[in-house]
Amino acid sequence: MDHSQPKSERTAAIAPIPFDNSYARLPERFFARVHPTPVVEPWLIKFNRPLAEELGLDADALERDGAAIFSGNSVPEGAEPLGMAYAGHQFGQFVPLLGDGRAILLGEVIDKNGVRRDIQLKGAGKTPYSRRGDGRAALGPVLREYIVSEAMHALGIPATRALAAVVTGEPVYRERVLPGAIFTRVAASHIRVGTFQFFAARGDAEGVRTLADYVIDRHYPEIKGQERPYLALLETVAERQASLIARWLHIGFIHGVMNTDNCAVSGETVDFGPCAFLDAYDPAKVFSSIDQGGRYAYASQPAIGQWNLARLAETLLPLFDPDASEAVNLANDVIAGYGPRFQTHWLTGMKAKIGLTQDEDGDLDLVQGLLSLMKEGQADFTLTFRRLADAAESEAPQEAFTMSFSDPAAVTPWLADWRARLAREAQTSQQRAQAMRLVNPAYIPRNHRIEQAIRAAEDEGDFSLFEALLKVLAKPYEDQQGFSAYAAPPTPSEEVVRTFCGT
Ligand code: AMP
Ligand code: MG
């Protein structure tokens, strides 16, 4: 499908992005060539200059012409805009054709570290995959994705990045009329489990193999020489997902829509639609208005990761072994191995959160003991661990920690066990407290802060709260003067109880 317009009419004579495209070289059935639909009056809200520099882009030119370029009004030289084809399981139901309905890949660049990165406009107009959608995005979800994806990166968690955000000067029609916006996303790639499913669902074995080879070349070249490279691919994706989801749990992140089309094989967090962060600890917590069965609840995420992995495995089966039952056995071993992989990542991270560097038999119980108390005591997830770091430094600030719980006295026995366990560790209390502060953030993108930033921007055109949030979240592990309010949980009236995917 070629929906592009003649190049001469649409391509501006500017080359601020040194494109080096590879996805556009894949067979034509992998995508649809399509240009962004111009917008009336684009205005650059935010441009991520450090990221542009990391990508080797001409930051000055992009800052100057950002409104035109990041709105899709002017397609830079060397771009080969396309919408990627993919399928996916949405809340367990298979949809054979999804694809980029409102995202357009401009192309790829090789960054300063030699890593190939996608540059994509989200909300840039209709594509052949738009179905009944308008191809557009509203300002609120664009600001949310900007804030959360950059915060995730600063927290040290693999995630797609935010290069720019523009408002379009055009309305979008959702439950109400909202300002339109476009988000420029940077990703290691946008290949999803659902991309593999797209070809498998069509019986296109050659497509699956071509995609698998492309992914190995692009993301995991080290597995190329292996005896069973496709099985190694599954294993590597299993490892990345296990590690990623463990890290989500460590900071109280709830993705909200872990459909297979939102599961990147690169191991980056992708799609920040209805995502949210725990305030009070509750493993069953769900924020998304569309997740009525609680399929993607906080503590269900590891199991969903495994379910998604099984869907990837199904698409690769014929590549594992010519013997079908042998192929299934091989796949099952990898899928079964995901559980212990996840558990190891999770426990290692949780132990670091409570200041343990060595291994003892009772460590898991100690971690779980604290989590049960936090659930019982409705303790704020982020603040509790941050205050535990203070308590590790000396016994004096212990009170701030216990006050996180509805019944502070209930935590005393756990604290005694914890201190007894710490006594058998090698670190000094100073070293321990410092290490704990590097894994227990003071600041996360709290739901109510995101909401306040969106409200101010949407209702008053005031982006100062958005800017302030970005600033404080850029250094989440450092206490920052004048920003203590950003570390605080919401008051009951501020609390966000529902999030919406905003499509
Ligand atoms: P998401 O829930 O954002 O992961 O999107 C699921 C699917 O719906 C993807 O194929 C999107 O491209 C498509 N989609 C979401 N919003 C829109 C929209 N406003 N217009 C067209 N397609 C959309
Ligand atoms: Mg998606």
Side-chain angles (χ1 to χ4, degrees):
M1 286 184 275
D2 190 339
H3 292 250
S4 59
Q5 298 178 21
K7 254 197 154 168
S8 54
E9 275 177 36
R10 295 295 311 273
T11 306
I14 38 175
I17 303 178
F19 286 107
D20 178 345
N21 305 328
S22 62
Y23 210 80
R25 307 277 94 76
L26 289 172
E28 291 284 327
R29 65 187 188 282
F30 277 56
F31 50 77
R33 297 190 191 273
V34 58
H35 264 77
T37 306
V39 297
V40 177
E41 201 183 347
W43 177 72
L44 186 65
I45 303 166
K46 187 74 186 165
F47 169 58
N48 189 341
R49 202 177 167 100
L51 177 60
E53 283 162 1
E54 180 187 319
L55 295 175
L57 315 184
D58 182 343
D60 289 330
L62 289 175
E63 193 135 49
R64 192 184 57 235
D65 302 324
I69 292 171
F70 297 122
S71 62
N73 278 12
S74 146
V75 175
E77 200 180 307
E80 292 176 89
L82 59 87
M84 290 168 67
Y86 56 85
H89 275 91
Q90 299 192 309
F91 292 91
Q93 295 296 313
F94 187 62
V95 185
L97 179 61
L98 289 165
D100 288 331
R102 57 165 171 169
I104 295 177
L105 177 69
L106 288 180
E108 301 141 35
V109 295
I110 310 292
D111 74 13
K112 290 272 165 75
N113 303 311
V115 179
R116 182 176 290 281
R117 314 270 291 269
D118 278 5
I119 301 180
Q120 188 203 60
L121 302 180
K122 191 170 169 185
K126 283 189 190 164
T127 77
Y129 309 114
S130 297
R131 291 168 290 159
R132 264 167 288 165
D134 60 1
R136 293 300 185 190
L139 177 59
V142 166
L143 295 182
R144 172 187 293 273
E145 178 153 359
Y146 202 114
I147 293 164
V148 182
S149 61
E150 287 305 293
M152 293 292 268
H153 171 70
L155 286 161
I157 298 170
T160 60
R161 302 288 308 276
L163 181 61
V166 296
V167 284
T168 59
E170 295 178 4
V172 295
Y173 300 91
R174 301 293 182 259
E175 285 99 60
R176 47 198 191 97
V177 185
L178 295 165
I182 298 173
F183 179 74
T184 305
R185 177 158 70 183
V186 172
S189 86
H190 285 88
I191 300 166
R192 310 137 192 275
V193 168
T195 318
F196 283 88
Q197 291 180 294
F198 174 84
F199 297 104
R202 281 157 185 74
D204 183 354
E206 206 40 53
V208 173
R209 181 190 292 271
T210 303
L211 183 65
D213 288 338
Y214 178 85
V215 168
I216 291 171
D217 265 337
R218 180 164 175 177
H219 294 299
Y220 309 118
E222 66 279 5
I223 67 180
K224 231 188 297 189
Q226 295 196 10
E227 197 190 330
R228 294 186 191 274
Y230 303 111
L231 193 65
L233 172 61
L234 183 68
E235 233 163 352
T236 310
V237 175
E239 170 59 22
R240 297 289 173 118
Q241 287 297 319
S243 156
L244 180 69
I245 296 169
R247 296 172 83 167
W248 290 354
L249 265 52
H250 293 149
I251 53 144
F253 179 74
I254 304 171
H255 183 284
V257 58
M258 288 177 71
N259 295 334
T260 57
D261 54 304
N262 293 332
C263 175
V265 297
S266 68
E268 285 183 337
T269 311
V270 66
D271 247 322
F272 295 88
C275 70
F277 286 80
L278 286 177
D279 294 309
Y281 176 64
D282 173 6
K285 189 73 188 169
V286 173
F287 285 94
S288 171
S289 61
I290 54 169
D291 189 3
Q292 278 159 5
R295 180 179 169 90
Y296 300 137
Y298 171 79
S300 303
Q301 297 181 112
I304 291 292
Q306 187 173 43
W307 193 88
N308 287 349
L309 191 70
R311 305 289 79 75
L312 175 63
E314 283 165 359
T315 71
L316 296 170
L317 278 177
L319 298 175
F320 293 156
D321 198 279
D323 178 82
S325 70
E326 176 60 8
V328 170
N329 289 339
L330 290 167
N332 278 338
D333 285 348
V334 176
I335 294 163
Y338 164 94
R341 277 181 198 278
F342 168 79
Q343 184 64 16
T344 302
H345 285 296
W346 179 80
L347 186 58
T348 305
M350 290 309 292
K351 283 179 55 179
K353 284 177 80 70
I354 64 167
L356 303 184
T357 61
Q358 288 155 256
D359 293 325
E360 279 191 20
D361 278 349
D363 290 349
L364 176 60
D365 290 342
L366 196 62
V367 167
Q368 276 170 342
L370 177 58
L371 290 174
S372 311
L373 287 164
M374 287 170 66
K375 178 171 185 288
E376 233 12 64
Q378 292 166 36
D380 181 80
F381 186 81
T382 306
L383 210 53
T384 303
F385 285 105
R386 187 72 179 181
R387 286 181 173 165
L388 191 64
D390 299 334
E393 195 141 38
S394 70
E395 300 220 3
Q398 187 159 305
E399 186 133 294
F401 169 76
T402 56
M403 292 306 285
S404 302
F405 298 80
S406 58
D407 176 10
V411 217
T412 314
W414 185 86
L415 274 171
D417 290 348
W418 177 62
R419 292 205 184 277
R421 173 67 183 82
L422 292 185
R424 298 191 294 275
E425 286 270 320
Q427 283 177 313
T428 66
S429 28
Q430 255 74 26
Q431 288 170 330
R432 177 177 308 121
Q434 215 168 10
M436 287 172 74
R437 289 192 190 103
L438 292 177
V439 292
N440 293 315
Y443 308 103
I444 53 151
R446 288 187 178 272
N447 311 321
H448 66 294
R449 291 283 172 186
I450 297 175
E451 219 42 55
Q452 289 164 3
I454 291 173
R455 285 269 66 77
E458 237 174 46
D459 300 345
E460 283 139 60
D462 173 4
F463 290 89
S464 61
L465 292 180
F466 168 69
E467 292 286 351
L469 250 185
L470 286 180
K471 184 160 180 268
V472 70
L473 292 171
K475 290 179 183 157
Y477 298 107
E478 283 175 34
D479 290 310
Q480 295 169 54
Q481 283 235 311
F483 282 105
S484 59
Y486 282 84
T491 62
S493 71
E494 286 175 331
E495 197 183 331
V496 172
V497 292
R498 281 271 162 277
T499 55
F500 302 89
C501 61
T503 50

